[in-house]
Amino acid sequence: MLKLTSPPRHDERLNSKTDIGTPMTGQDHTHQQWEDALTFVALKRDRQAYAELFNYFAPRLKAFGMKMFGNEQQALEMVQDTMLNVWKKAALFDASRGCASTWIFTIARNVRFDMLRKKQSRKDDISADDLWNGDYPESYAEEAADNWDIQLLSEKLAPHFSLLPPPQREVIEKVYLQEKTHQEVSDELAIPLGTVKSRIRLALDRLREALDGARN
């Protein structure tokens, strides 16, 4: 059994305005390099490998959290919880079920839903008088159900992302895991909007075939 130690602290780096806004220099790490980094964290509790993962993914997770919550404090909380899970659960990463970024953003989505569920439970903490007066906020329950449907769909699809060609996988991860709009993906990757939509359509066809095959 792996001995878990306290993860390195990166609070100062995460809260630094210059680090968050500064793009990486040089060539981005490949999927294989991030998978190797997770392996080092899992087997050796390698702090340098974890630091590299943190420095690369934390700014991206923070941007994702800001988009989801519109609140920096909540975004930072999501990042810290996500990266703590990465440190603790690196041994659970299975490259055959998806690449490192897919796994990490899936954790982030789960953390986000946990945060939303806790927030929801506080809203639903109503009194008996509220029930008698018919003031129960049904829309909250419907919204929570929709969120869980999206989460379950993502968990079913994510293991099959590794089957996609890299261009399709990159687009589908940004749209369905990072929840970016088609236009945002187009701008970020510097490709036409039509190309984004085409890659999504081709990727969804492949994923549908993969899901059908898994059910059979």
Side-chain angles (χ1 to χ4, degrees), residues 2-207:
L2 294 173
K3 181 180 179 182
L4 297 181
T5 58
S6 298
R9 289 185 62 83
H10 296 279
D11 305 71
E12 296 82 4
R13 183 180 297 275
L14 182 56
N15 283 291
S16 167
K17 298 293 184 184
T18 54
D19 276 1
I20 292 299
T22 304
M24 288 185 66
T25 57
Q27 207 171 21
D28 279 353
H29 285 274
T30 63
H31 290 296
Q32 184 61 52
Q33 285 173 308
W34 296 131
E35 291 171 10
D36 291 344
L38 283 171
T39 299
F40 278 112
V41 172
L43 298 180
K44 300 182 178 181
R45 314 313 293 162
D46 190 305
R47 288 170 176 259
Q48 180 60 39
Y50 177 78
E52 291 178 4
L53 286 165
F54 193 100
N55 292 341
Y56 180 79
F57 284 102
R60 289 156 175 78
L61 291 170
K62 183 184 177 185
F64 173 59
M66 287 295 293
K67 181 178 178 180
M68 294 300 103
F69 296 108
N71 178 287
E72 185 176 25
Q73 182 178 353
Q74 289 180 308
L76 291 173
E77 179 183 347
M78 189 202 75
V79 175
Q80 293 290 353
D81 288 351
T82 298
M83 295 310 298
L84 180 60
N85 274 296
V86 169
W87 173 261
K88 289 182 174 180
K89 301 179 180 180
L92 299 179
F93 171 67
D94 182 357
S96 68
R97 300 189 62 194
C99 65
S101 61
T102 300
W103 186 70
I104 291 173
F105 268 95
T106 299
I107 291 175
R109 286 175 61 86
N110 290 339
V111 168
R112 168 200 165 201
F113 281 120
D114 285 342
M115 292 174 65
L116 290 174
R117 188 172 66 247
K118 290 176 183 177
K119 183 178 179 181
Q120 183 66 45
S121 66
R122 289 193 293 270
K123 288 182 179 178
D124 290 344
D125 187 16
I126 55 179
S127 66
D129 289 339
D130 294 326
L131 288 172
W132 283 113
N133 292 331
D135 292 335
Y136 183 78
E138 293 183 6
S139 60
Y140 291 154
E142 292 173 359
E143 180 182 353
D146 290 342
N147 286 339
W148 282 115
D149 287 343
I150 294 171
Q151 182 183 21
L152 290 172
L153 178 61
S154 297
E155 289 176 350
K156 289 180 180 179
L157 289 177
H160 300 287
F161 284 178
S162 60
L163 302 175
L164 299 173
Q168 293 177 22
R169 181 177 62 211
E170 184 176 35
V171 168
I172 210 78
E173 284 181 353
K174 290 183 182 300
V175 171
Y176 286 93
L177 288 183
Q178 301 178 33
E179 300 189 10
K180 295 183 177 181
T181 66
H182 294 182
Q183 187 61 57
E184 287 173 334
V185 175
S186 172
D187 294 340
E188 184 176 332
L189 299 180
I191 58 177
L193 183 61
T195 302
V196 172
K197 294 181 177 180
S198 175
R199 290 180 183 178
I200 290 174
R201 184 172 61 254
L202 292 172
L204 290 177
D205 287 342
R206 286 175 177 264
L207 290 172

